[in-house]
Amino acid sequence: MNILLAFKAEPDLSMLAEKDWLTAGQGSLDTSITRPCLGEDEQAAGEILLRQEEDLNLTALSIGCERVDSFLRQFKALGFQRAVRLQPDEELTFAPATVAALLAAWQQQHPQSLMVIGSRSAEGNSGQTGFYLAEQLGWPCFSQVYDFTLDDERQQVCLKQRHGAGKRSLTVRLPAVLMVESRGDYCLRTPGLRQKLAVKTSDVEVWPVKALNDTAAASPLWGLEHPQRQRGGLIIQGSDAREKARSLYRDWLRKRMKP
């Protein structure tokens, strides 16, 4: 059974300074200085796949620059048979439709029985990629999945899904698209030193985007805005701490105290 895990290395935007966001107002946000992170949803999906008892042919795929190769080599060291990076010609930060088109093009050339992705990313947080992908492939899509078990003989997947305020279990016939949502149920294991040393840089396959789909084009990014989350405050004036405490009680606390 061929299974594809598609993930995205997200930049840690908390490392950016205020001047970087001011520059982003003109449509460019340089995240090269930030540390790439692997999303919790993708980590959970990878761990669930590694725990399957079936003999699976696992492929880890990401779209981006060389910064994602470290995560691809990590999946390779953990037991994934293939590690693939699609090299785009432009920024695909807020382009779920384009990302889905590229994944669908990969599926046409390299057929898979199941495609697993994370529910949301830390950047866009839109949760649209999986639905776009399923629509283009004509496959069913299941979101809010927190666990699943594969049945290679019957070509089925038994998944557990959060539904409203509760949970439910479904048995689905493949192919399908699963959007995993992690809430701390799984944590991706860490490869050992020997496993890391066994993986070479050449083990990561790099494919140019045009080799898959030369018609997919992302919408241009016009600008970004960093919301201000500063809290208001008032400095209480007084000659000493006792006078300030009296002012705080008289002008603020006493009005809120119930009689």
Side-chain angles (χ1 to χ4, degrees):
M1 182 184 296
N2 297 329
I3 300 178
L4 176 71
L5 171 63
F7 69 93
K8 181 178 182 181
E10 304 168 347
D12 187 359
L13 300 181
S14 62
M15 299 179 64
L16 295 178
E18 186 67 25
K19 62 179 182 179
D20 297 319
W21 287 103
L22 294 177
T23 305
Q26 283 72 42
S28 61
L29 182 61
D30 184 13
T31 59
S32 59
I33 63 173
T34 62
R35 178 188 60 184
C37 303
L38 187 61
E40 294 183 359
D41 295 343
E42 289 85 352
Q43 292 188 46
E47 180 61 27
I48 295 174
L49 289 173
L50 291 172
R51 295 190 181 192
Q52 301 298 317
E53 298 180 357
E54 304 289 348
D55 186 14
L56 306 177
N57 184 18
L58 302 177
T59 300
L61 183 145
S62 185
I63 305 175
C65 60
E66 295 83 356
R67 301 182 68 192
V68 305
D69 288 356
S70 59
F71 299 110
L72 289 170
R73 289 194 295 269
Q74 179 181 358
F75 281 113
K76 184 77 173 180
L78 290 173
F80 279 67
Q81 282 70 33
R82 297 183 66 182
V84 181
R85 174 169 60 86
L86 303 183
Q87 181 70 47
D89 298 329
E90 55 189 354
E91 180 63 37
L92 299 179
T93 303
F94 302 100
T98 304
V99 172
L102 294 176
L103 294 178
W106 175 266
Q107 158 63 24
Q108 297 300 326
Q109 298 186 19
H110 307 271
Q112 307 289 319
S113 300
L114 179 67
M115 303 188 75
V116 184
I117 66 173
S119 292
R120 300 176 184 271
S121 66
E123 295 172 319
N125 199 26
S126 61
Q128 298 177 351
T129 305
F131 297 110
Y132 278 125
L133 175 60
E135 181 180 10
Q136 296 188 31
L137 295 176
W139 293 4
C141 180
F142 299 89
S143 61
Q144 296 182 313
V145 176
Y146 65 91
D147 197 2
F148 60 87
T149 304
L150 295 164
D151 189 340
D152 191 10
E153 182 179 355
R154 298 182 180 180
Q155 287 292 299
Q156 293 178 345
V157 56
C158 301
L159 59 92
K160 296 180 180 180
Q161 181 186 43
R162 293 184 177 90
H163 180 68
K167 301 177 181 179
R168 64 181 180 183
S169 299
L170 301 173
T171 300
V172 180
R173 182 176 299 175
L174 299 177
V177 176
L178 300 186
M179 300 172 61
V180 175
E181 182 182 84
S182 173
R183 296 187 181 179
D185 301 319
Y186 290 97
C187 180
L188 183 64
R189 64 192 69 179
T190 302
L193 180 59
R194 291 185 178 180
Q195 292 175 301
K196 293 180 179 180
L197 294 176
V199 180
K200 302 177 182 179
T201 305
S202 58
D203 290 338
V204 176
E205 306 175 32
V206 181
W207 290 65
V209 166
K210 291 183 179 180
L212 295 176
N213 190 351
D214 57 358
T215 60
S219 301
L221 179 63
W222 291 99
L224 296 171
E225 182 179 352
H226 189 209
Q228 298 293 333
R229 295 187 174 88
Q230 297 179 355
R231 300 178 61 180
L234 178 65
I235 299 178
I236 299 177
Q237 302 293 339
S239 58
D240 53 15
R242 179 178 297 181
E243 184 178 349
K244 293 179 181 179
R246 290 177 177 174
S247 299
L248 175 63
Y249 172 76
R250 181 181 62 253
D251 299 334
W252 301 94
L253 299 181
R254 186 173 60 181
K255 297 178 182 179
R256 300 187 179 185
M257 295 176 64
K258 296 182 179 180

